[in-house]
Amino acid sequence: MRNSRTGNMFKETNVVRKQTFADMLESDPNDQQEFSFGFTKTPESSPANHDWLPPPMTWENNSPYNASWDQSSPFSTASSSQTSAFPTPSRDQYSSSPLSKSPWSSHAAPPLHGSYSYTGLIGSLVREEGHIYSLSASGDMLYTGSDSKNIRVWKNQKEFSGFKSNSGLVKAIIIAGGRIFTGHQDGKIRVWKVSGKNPNIHKRIGTLPTVKAYIKSSFNPKNYVEIRRNRNAVWIKHFDAISSLSLSDDKTLLYSASWDRTFKVWRVSDFKCLESIKAHDDAVNSIIAGFDGLVFTGSADGTVKVWRRESQGKGRTKHFFSQTLLKQECAITALVVDPSAIFLYSGSSDGLVNFWERNKFLSHGGILRGHKLAVLCLATAGNLVFSGSADANICVWKRDQENDHICLSVLIGHGGPVKCLAVEDKGASAGGNSQYIVYSGSLDKSVKIWRVTGQVAAAVEPQQHCQMEVFSSDNGES
């Protein structure tokens, strides 16, 4: 069937083979209809068939052109009135432009003389298949997950392939060692691998927990825990949506956080569930494996907690509660550790970003104020921090040598809450400036690509509405 935006023909390839009984025990019978699909050019011009797509979701600004592209610049600030050197096309221009044949649209001119100091929007993707809940970047590949249950794969800003889960919208995606781990609304983790024969095809190689482990655990009454009044369940399975995934530094352990108030620890080598920890009094919204064997969790109960990993001998590990870094009324929505493994950042529903410093025994470093609504996602690269919010904006923060943070810029372009972020470090430009590519997914059903440099552009003033509060370590007063 054809995609009317791209003019490409979908070539659906069923990757399900006849299974042995042993295979069935390692997989999930509910996932047998999962398939991978690739894209091939075709000269045909027959009408498109969209029966494979779910009904469009409603959104207040459901048109992809309702985003702030009518601003004077693809990169906009609250105080800037500069006219951009890269004019933004109108909706009518899109309908007649060759760009309308592709879901990607370009918003920036190519670099001149090998130097590119432009900061702002460089590309957009809009697909009417639901809100974007998760994305992950690896090299030139971008994986996006939505409530359509599809995981799309993009290569060099072009639709490359995709794969579909039979149940459970995609809440989290991480990539490690040639494997793709996806966390779903149905409480399951699915593991995928690129086919060695055809890179367009992704095969599901496991579901966590495996049916074999689930059946084995169900026979032992000691493996049941109370999840609600008069209702018990096997401890190795999440009974609510998975909200976040993270891998340990050595890539041997996978951590999953869930709205069921627990986080679980999985061994990557054999997909075995090693631990299940009741971590919070409300939904666990984020988990991150940090430094020094520490794991950090953030919850809707308003707390950020620290868990310590300890070796138990014979290759076994166990996690113990260490301390509570933050306790507040507002929900914790996102956590991230910077690449240098020195700073921990948390975002919350009050629009604030708190941070702690490893070198000061996880003392509170300060608060970043840049959003009017809840912070929904965080990402870091180099000495930059990116915060996406329900106010549809992305704040770019720069940390200096004194560990002070300034807001370099605010990326404006989404027409709905920014739900997920991913950043790629592109190294230094010819002028010596650090360059980053930022991917943002939103509930406006779009994915946008931004180019960000490590310094304030000449035509852009620092944001006056973004502030940082620093607290002394003695009395905690600002």
Side-chain angles (χ1 to χ4, degrees), residues 10 40 52 73 113 126 214 243 273 339 349 453:
F10 292 107
T40 56
W52 66 279
S73 168
H113 310 298
V126 179
Y214 187 82
S243 56
C273 187
S349 60
T453 58

Side-chain angles (χ1 to χ4, degrees), residues 144-341:
T144 61
S146 69
D147 52 14
S148 70
K149 306 174 187 177
N150 291 332
I151 298 98
R152 297 275 176 185
V153 187
W154 311 87
K155 185 174 183 180
N156 296 324
Q157 303 179 8
K158 295 181 180 179
E159 194 157 11
F160 180 68
S161 67
F163 47 102
K164 181 175 181 178
S165 171
N166 190 46
S167 60
L169 64 88
V170 187
K171 302 282 289 185
I173 305 174
I174 56 174
I175 306 169
R179 294 178 178 180
I180 301 97
F181 298 87
T182 56
H184 297 259
Q185 181 80 25
D186 60 6
K188 296 177 183 178
I189 303 168
R190 292 168 173 86
V191 189
W192 312 80
K193 189 175 182 179
V194 179
S195 170
K197 297 181 179 179
N198 186 348
N200 281 334
I201 295 179
H202 291 71
K203 295 183 178 180
R204 184 179 55 81
I205 60 174
T207 300
L208 281 61
T210 63
V211 174
K212 178 180 179 180
Y214 187 82
I215 293 176
K216 184 178 179 179
S217 296
S218 65
F219 287 136
N220 189 346
K222 295 182 179 180
N223 289 328
Y224 285 83
V225 294
E226 185 177 5
I227 58 175
R228 294 188 183 92
R229 187 176 181 181
N230 299 325
R231 182 184 175 187
N232 296 333
V234 177
W235 67 270
I236 65 172
K237 182 183 182 301
H238 286 296
F239 62 86
D240 208 335
I242 290 176
S243 56
S244 179
L245 296 173
S246 182
L247 281 166
S248 60
D249 288 339
D250 57 9
K251 311 300 182 190
T252 61
L253 298 178
L254 173 69
Y255 295 90
S256 59
S258 171
W259 290 351
D260 64 10
R261 307 182 182 185
T262 72
F263 75 86
K264 300 188 189 298
V265 186
W266 310 82
R267 190 162 56 204
V268 173
S269 59
D270 58 1
F271 302 155
K272 181 179 180 180
C273 187
L274 303 178
E275 285 184 84
S276 179
I277 299 170
K278 177 144 186 333
H280 291 271
D281 296 328
D282 207 333
V284 185
N285 289 325
S286 185
I287 188 168
I288 188 75
F291 37 77
D292 301 330
L294 300 179
V295 177
F296 304 95
T297 55
S299 168
D301 64 11
T303 62
V304 176
K305 292 185 178 182
V306 185
W307 307 84
R308 185 179 68 258
R309 174 185 171 186
E310 293 186 2
S311 175
Q312 300 291 300
K314 296 182 180 180
R316 295 181 300 174
T317 60
K318 193 172 180 64
H319 293 75
F320 299 90
F321 172 73
S322 178
Q323 62 176 309
T324 299
L325 294 180
L326 182 64
K327 187 175 183 180
Q328 61 182 25
E329 293 296 325
C330 298
I332 304 300
T333 54
L335 295 172
V336 71
V337 173
D338 78 305
S340 64

Side-chain angles (χ1 to χ4, degrees), residues 3-8 41 94-104 127:
N3 181 335
S4 62
R5 283 184 177 269
T6 62
N8 292 336
K41 293 290 184 179
Y94 273 111
S95 60
S96 60
S97 167
L99 293 174
S100 63
K101 298 179 181 179
S102 170
W104 283 105
R127 271 199 172 279

